[in-house]
Amino acid sequence: MLVHIPHVLTAEQVTHCRETFARADWEDGRSTAGHQSAQVKKNLQLPENSPAARMLGDLVLGALERSPLFISAVLPQRVFPPLFNRYEPGMNFGSHVDNAIRPITGTPLRLRTDVSATLFLSDPESYDGGELVVEDTYGSHSVKLPAGDLIIYPASSLHHVTPVTRGVRLASFFWVQSMIRDVSKRALLFDLDTSIMQLTREVPKSPSLVMLTGIYHNLLRQWAEP
């Protein structure tokens, strides 16, 4: 299930991110990659525990909390502290699958990566290449979104970032452990919630709303993990 979530960050927040990036020191992106991913990863990354990464990560987390579409699509239980990367000409990230479990640095916590997320921070016309390509049973999906927009997809998906040939691609990336582990159940709940919201707009006094909302919450109660 790929879901495009527009306007997670405002234009002002995107500008703030870029200004912070301009003053930051970057390191080899392989510092947070697994063994196999490190062999195909060629990019730069803000140091995970740097003040800049922590400050911008809090900004992104706050924006996610205010996004009803993100909450509906992901049903987050825990969000990995957002990381930030930079692709310059010649850089790319070959085909890989994200690690299933990630420890949260500096804490005893571990996170199961149910959902992967990329938040685009460069205007798409400012760079060539750098598309995120996600592969699933329906084929390959190439994604290059406006700055401030987010794409989420199953972390089990094979995916890659094509080589940047002009300009600079800036993004935030992170993972989410969902209350609903199974992607098919998560997709059903998302479709049901979307239908309830649409019916609320179109027929706000429909008695079916109470029944459908009850079905949604009873399924959530049955499937959600504590």
Side-chain angles (χ1 to χ4, degrees), residues 7-19 121 123 147-148:
H7 311 303
V8 170
L9 294 186
T10 66
E12 292 76 16
Q13 289 172 322
V14 170
T15 297
H16 176 62
C17 289
R18 293 174 183 167
E19 290 173 346
L121 297 171
D123 296 320

Side-chain angles (χ1 to χ4, degrees), residues 11 13 15 31 36 49 52 68 81 97 112 114 123-124 132 136 141 151 156 161 180 220 222:
Q13 289 172 322
T15 297
S31 62
Q36 290 187 338
N49 285 317
V97 174
R112 186 185 66 242
D114 297 321
D123 296 320
L132 170 66
D136 62 18
H141 308 273
I151 189 74
S156 57
V161 176
I180 308 298
L220 184 60
Q222 179 178 344

Side-chain angles (χ1 to χ4, degrees), residues 78-80 100-102 109-113 175-177:
R78 182 176 294 159
V79 180
F80 192 89
I101 304 294
R102 294 196 69 98
L109 300 176
R110 295 175 182 268
L111 178 145
R112 186 185 66 242
T113 58
W175 301 271
V176 184
Q177 179 172 320

